[in-house]
């Protein structure tokens, strides 16, 4: 996969303020506020910054955490994981492998078959419904 690199100024020009703050500055949208938290639409979720396919709706589940949750990414190479020790916690941050957009975090408390919960900010995603 070819890396997509832009300056912060280029990202700021193409993203709305909330997308920029979350995707490029690792902020978090408020829980239960995102457009995809309760969405049941069948389709594929793509990175809002580079359009890379990240999650299939078939892996989405209701975790009750307030953010869209998935038990697996669309492929092993879709994202990178980084140890995150901010806010007095030890977590695993997930970023888009193509453009390094901050997406959210992954936790080991999800359902089978993976046991993982990818807790993702809606503002980082674009859902392309299946026809």
């Amino acid at each position: 996969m070819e890396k997509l690199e832009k300056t912060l100024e280029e990202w700021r020009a193409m993203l709305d303020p909330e997308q920029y703050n979350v995707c490029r500055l690792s902020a978090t949208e408020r829980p239960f506020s995102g457009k995809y938290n309760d969405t049941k639409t069948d389709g594929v979720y793509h990175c809002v910054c580079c359009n890379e396919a990240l999650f299939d709706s078939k892996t989405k589940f209701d975790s009750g955490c307030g953010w869209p949750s998935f038990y697996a990414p669309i492929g092993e190479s879709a994202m990178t994981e980084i140890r995150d020790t901010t806010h007095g916690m030890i977590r695993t941050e997930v970023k888009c492998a193509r453009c390094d957009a901050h997406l959210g975090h992954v936790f080991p408390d999800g359902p089978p078959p993976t046991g993982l919960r990818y807790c993702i900010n809606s503002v980082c995603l674009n859902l392309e419904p299946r026809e």
Side-chain angles (χ1 to χ4, degrees), residues 73-86:
I74 205 156
E76 277 187 32
S77 63
M79 57 196 59
T80 57
E81 296 184 0
I82 299 158
R83 181 180 164 98
D84 177 2
T85 58
T86 60

Side-chain angles (χ1 to χ4, degrees), residues 34-117:
K35 64 183 175 179
Y36 297 128
N37 186 50
D38 295 321
T39 300
K40 307 284 190 242
T41 304
D42 186 36
V44 175
Y45 291 86
H46 294 257
C47 177
V48 73
C49 293
C50 70
N51 203 38
E52 188 68 25
L54 300 172
F55 297 98
D56 190 297
S57 64
K58 290 176 177 30
T59 66
K60 190 173 188 284
F61 68 99
D62 183 5
S63 69
C65 71
W67 293 274
S69 296
F70 305 85
Y71 63 75
I74 205 156
E76 277 187 32
S77 63
M79 57 196 59
T80 57
E81 296 184 0
I82 299 158
R83 181 180 164 98
D84 177 2
T85 58
T86 60
H87 307 293
M89 298 179 269
I90 298 174
R91 305 179 288 177
T92 302
E93 177 186 14
V94 289
K95 290 187 171 194
C96 174
R98 182 163 184 245
C99 71
D100 289 328
H102 168 78
L103 303 171
H105 292 85
V106 61
F107 301 95
D109 60 2
T114 65
L116 298 174
R117 174 174 53 98

